[in-house]
Every structure is written in C-alpha cells, then in structure tokens.
Amino acid sequence: MVIVGNDPATVEADLVERRLMCPDCLSALVPWGFARERVLKDGLVLRQRRSICPEESCGKTHVLLPEDCLARRHYRAEVIGEVLQDVFVGHKSFEDVARLAGVPPDTVFDWLRCFRRNAVVIARHFARWLAALLPGRALPERRGPAAVHALEMIGAAAKAASLSLRTRPPWSWASKMSGGWLLSNTRSPWPLPD
Ligand SMILES: [Zn+2]
C-alpha cells in the first residue's frame, strides 16, 4: 500500500515516470495493472492502480491508495476523522454522530473501538512525525483520555506537515502518515514501543 495524491492522471504520470518509491526498499515502482474497483459510500469510484517493485530482492506489489481514503474503509478519511473528533472531543453520542454523518451506527462503533484501542500508539506515532517535522519543539502533553490526545497529535502533526512540506487536508495527512492503515483491525503500521 502506497498513499498517493487524489488526481489519477498525476498518479499515473508519477508511476510511469518512476517517481513513486517502494516503501520496503525505496526502489522506483513500475505499473502492475489495476486492483478491483471499489465504490465508496459517497459514490466515489476507486479504480486503484497497482504497482510492483522491480528490485529482484524485493519484488513486492503495492496498491496505490488516494490520500483522502484509508485502507479497507468505505468512507473518506475526512468523514471518519470528523466522527472521531465529534465523539471523543465534542462528547456527542455516537448514535447522534452516526445519524448526522449518515453512517450506520455499527460502522461508527467499529471506528471508535479501533481508534480507542490503538490510541496510545497512534499518539506516539504522530508525536514522532511532529518531532521530525519541527525538531526541538516541545510536544503537546497528554491532558485527557488517550483518544483525545491521539487526535491532538494527529492535528498537530498534520499542521506541521502542511507548514513544512505541502498543504493537504489534515485527514489526508493522517492517511499518508499512517500508510493508509490508521484504522486497521488486521494490520498495525505502528512501531513497537521504545
Ligand atoms: Zn521494493
């Protein structure tokens, strides 16, 4: 999985001109067909590009996922992020948030459970991003529940990345910085504890 921009034409040009790198060995990826089409709940059709690493010792294939999406989630990252924010920071009930967002309550419940379960490692992961992007700056201290702190760290890291690298919406940065696996039930992109 490699997170790329939202414009398919730009992604295609980057892939063909070998500007996208294999996350495992940093070789330039080459085109490798398409993954099965996915339709998100808001109607966005994703015809996901696949790529392969030409390096003989690696040879891994990678799906290219647009940055406003998360792996294996059927809603855009921004919708998911706003739901997390409204429940954990806004203290709204998940049933109300689900209704207002037009998302089934079971789906929202799963997002909340997954985020809460990984909140400590998520906060640590984004703290590392923040420290790398703004070296020497003091990191925000945890003042409340782990999930709230994790959201603060995501927000701070995304802001730092938009300032230092290029402007993207915060939840696109969250997707990019977690390799698309921010809310995964089956795979952990998080480093082992120090
Ligand atoms: Zn590789």
Side-chain angles (χ1 to χ4, degrees):
M1 178 79 63
V2 174
I3 303 297
V4 293
N6 291 319
D7 176 31
T10 307
V11 172
E12 190 64 24
D14 284 345
L15 183 60
V16 169
E17 288 164 33
R18 308 191 67 174
R19 288 192 289 264
L20 300 178
M21 282 189 296
C22 171
D24 293 295
C25 72
L26 305 185
S27 297
L29 294 167
V30 296
W32 189 250
F34 289 86
R36 210 160 41 132
E37 217 166 63
R38 278 176 64 197
V39 182
L40 298 195
K41 298 293 182 190
D42 61 4
L44 177 73
V45 178
L46 290 180
R47 190 165 177 252
Q48 286 174 277
R49 197 59 158 118
R50 283 168 65 87
S51 64
I52 191 167
C53 175
E55 181 62 41
E56 227 169 81
S57 59
C58 179
K60 289 194 180 141
T61 59
H62 299 280
V63 170
L64 308 182
L65 183 71
E67 63 187 9
D68 61 356
C69 300
L70 294 175
R72 298 194 188 141
R73 297 290 172 184
H74 298 287
Y75 291 82
R76 293 190 203 225
E78 194 182 347
V79 174
I80 296 172
E82 279 177 15
V83 163
L84 297 174
Q85 195 78 22
D86 283 350
V87 173
F88 289 125
V89 180
H91 303 294
K92 296 177 185 162
S93 79
F94 87 84
E95 293 94 339
D96 286 350
V97 171
R99 196 179 59 251
L100 286 170
V103 180
D106 285 356
T107 302
V108 167
F109 189 78
D110 184 45
W111 296 346
L112 299 174
R113 186 178 51 187
C114 187
F115 192 79
R116 194 186 280 121
R117 186 180 60 219
N118 290 321
V120 170
V121 280
I122 290 172
R124 191 183 299 135
H125 179 79
F126 284 89
R128 285 181 174 151
W129 270 109
L130 189 52
L133 289 163
L134 297 177
R137 287 276 294 272
L139 297 176
E141 281 184 23
R142 178 174 165 180
R143 293 185 305 267
V148 174
H149 184 57
L151 286 169
E152 277 174 2
M153 295 309 295
I154 290 173
K159 208 178 282 179
S162 275
L163 280 171
S164 319
L165 302 173
R166 76 171 172 88
T167 306
R168 291 178 203 251
W171 287 94
S172 291
W173 272 122
S175 174
K176 181 82 180 165
M177 290 170 162
S178 63
W181 299 102
L182 180 74
L183 274 193
S184 173
N185 280 318
T186 54
R187 178 177 162 158
S188 170
W190 318 117
L192 293 170
D194 296 324

